[in-house]
Each structure stands twice: as structure tokens, then as C-alpha cells.
Amino acid sequence: MPAPVQLDCQDGVLTVTLNRPESGNGLDFETGKAMLAAVADGAADQRVRAVVLQGSGGFFCSGDDLDSLRRYADGDVAAAPASADTADAFYVRLCEEIVLAPKPVLAAVNGVAIGPGTEIACAADLRIGGPGSRIGCGLIRVGHVGIGAMLRRVVGPARATEIFLSGRLVGADEAHRIGLLDRLVPEDGQVVDEAQRLARDLAHGPTKAIALYKELRERSVEQPVLSALRMQDRFHRRSHAEVADSGEGLSALLQGRKPHFTGH
């Protein structure tokens, strides 16, 4: 049986593929655990300078695995896609790892993203989709709550509320229009290629500066504007002191040449 999560690392880009198309790439215990480990390890690996998350078989991630949910409902607590030690849902910890990763993380939404799949996609720094991309959540239909954290950050509280209350899947054109997809390619077969192209470009960029930007982004969220501006200035000064690539970037600009970034 093929592994539920497949890994490939080339040219500084780690590709993490959910590979359970028969279940819509739903998250069971093993899959959630493997996804979390893959992203956490990739975030810590100095050879990895960008990460792409994708799914196989026309699905990005359809949320929690239905068979696991049935077993959980029948009393099999260990079937839940959550840590046996802390009971934290794997997708929650995965979102945390994506947000905190000191490198760009892209979601190739090549198909359907539902519930936890939507939150994982929204945790990514960039989302790429095609005509077949569908994003949303049906938890309201079964009286459960979710997608109130990461989706809200991407589309705002009002749109996130409407998407949750309707229980609908947002189509590709609307998703692109409201910022739920950053890039929309003409054909579904181009989604992964475009994500890989963007990831390679970012992997060859000043990834230490990207890490600092992500830290600034998280720390300045919902700060008063004056505090956020002062924090931004401190981080700019940190980039001078901590990002070796900043010197190369300035030199290249002044010399009229293309910079060669090392990610340090």
C-alpha cells in the first residue's frame, strides 16, 4: 500500500503530497501525523527553502477521514486524527507549523479543500488553484464548528462567516476574486506546475528575509497601527543586521546585476 503522504525534495523545494485519493485525501490518524511530521521536519531542514502542499486524485484535502469519524463515533478514540498525548487535532498543529515555518509554504489547491483542508490551505503563504478548485466547509450541516481561524485571516470575518453559515464550497473564480486563491491558472493540470514554479523562485530568494517577514506578519496582526509601524521598522533594522542576503541584494541593485541569494 502506498504511503499516505509522499515527499519529494528538489532544488530546495520540498513537495508534500497527500496520497489517499480514495478517501478524498481525508485526514486519518496516520495521515495527519505524517503531514505534521513532514512540514515540521521541512521547516527545520536547512536544505529546504520552500514547501509545496498538494493532493492527489482531484482532491487537495477533504477534511477528516469519514471512516475514521465513524470509528470514533463508535467509541474508538484512537481513530481520531489527533495527538494521542494532547488530543490536539493534527490539522491544528499543522497550521501552526505552516504559519511559524521560517520559509514560504505554498498550497497547490488542485481540487477540493473542505474543513480542515480549507484551514491548511489558508495557513499557507500562497494558494494556487485552477477551474476545479473548490474551497469551503460543511460543518454547519452537522452542527459542528470550524474554519473560524485561518479562513478569517484570509478573507475577513464577514466573508468567512457567510462561507461557514452557508456550508457551501466557494468556486475557483470567486475564490480568486476574494483572495482565497492568490493565483488562478487556466487549467487544472497547471496548478501543481505553477505552484512548483513559484516555489522555486522563492527558494532562490532571500529566504531568511521571508522568515523575518512571516514573524513580523504574525506579531503585528491586530496591533494598533502606530505599534505595528514601529515594529515594522525594528524588523527592517533586524534585516540589515541578521540577513546576510541583504548586503548582496543592495550590492546587486547598485551594480545593476541580478542578486545571488543564499538564504542566509
Side-chain angles (χ1 to χ4, degrees):
M1 180 177 294
V5 175
Q6 296 182 339
L7 306 179
D8 179 65
C9 190
Q10 297 184 42
D11 201 19
V13 176
L14 173 65
T15 302
V16 182
T17 305
L18 274 165
N19 190 41
R20 301 185 69 239
E22 71 284 353
S23 69
N25 294 326
L27 298 176
D28 60 5
F29 181 87
E30 293 300 329
T31 307
K33 183 178 180 181
M35 279 286 287
L36 176 60
V39 173
D41 290 348
D45 190 338
Q46 295 300 311
R47 297 168 299 178
V48 174
R49 294 177 62 180
V51 178
V52 173
L53 308 177
Q54 62 186 42
S56 61
F59 296 90
F60 177 71
C61 174
S62 61
D64 291 333
D65 176 69
L66 291 180
D67 183 59
S68 296
L69 290 179
R70 292 188 188 98
R71 288 159 52 204
Y72 179 77
D74 289 338
D76 183 2
V77 178
S83 169
D85 298 327
T86 64
D88 292 337
F90 283 128
Y91 89 87
V92 171
R93 293 179 59 188
L94 179 58
C95 287
E96 292 172 344
E97 289 290 343
I98 293 168
V99 168
L100 296 175
K103 55 200 66 175
V105 180
L106 293 77
V109 188
N110 48 335
V112 176
I114 304 175
T118 293
E119 290 287 88
I120 292 168
C122 288
D125 300 302
L126 292 173
R127 288 160 298 284
I128 300 90
S133 299
R134 299 289 185 272
I135 307 171
C137 180
L139 284 174
I140 190 65
R141 300 183 188 279
V142 293
H144 284 219
V145 175
I147 69 166
M150 306 312 301
L151 177 65
R152 177 186 62 83
R153 285 162 49 107
V154 173
V155 301
R159 288 191 187 276
T161 299
E162 185 278 324
I163 292 169
F164 172 74
L165 292 179
S166 69
R168 68 189 179 93
L169 296 182
V170 179
D173 288 337
E174 180 185 357
H176 188 225
R177 187 173 69 251
I178 65 177
L180 191 47
L181 289 174
D182 297 293
R183 300 285 178 91
L184 181 62
V185 297
E187 299 178 11
D188 290 325
Q190 299 173 334
V191 173
V192 169
D193 289 343
E194 177 67 4
Q196 289 289 333
R197 184 189 68 78
L198 287 170
R200 286 193 299 272
D201 286 348
L202 291 168
H204 287 100
T207 47
K208 183 73 176 289
I210 293 173
L212 269 182
Y213 170 78
K214 290 183 67 170
E215 183 183 346
L216 169 63
R217 182 189 68 195
E218 296 310 307
R219 292 182 60 183
S220 62
V221 168
E222 297 182 357
Q223 288 284 328
V225 65
L226 297 183
S227 299
L229 282 169
R230 292 293 180 173
M231 184 182 298
Q232 177 173 285
D233 187 55
R234 290 196 298 273
F235 271 74
H236 179 73
R237 282 184 269 125
R238 280 182 63 187
S239 69
H240 281 277
E242 300 177 22
V243 179
D245 280 334
S246 67
E248 164 64 9
L250 182 57
S251 295
L253 175 65
L254 296 176
Q255 296 168 16
R257 60 175 175 82
K258 184 177 180 180
H260 175 70
F261 294 123
T262 65
H264 296 105

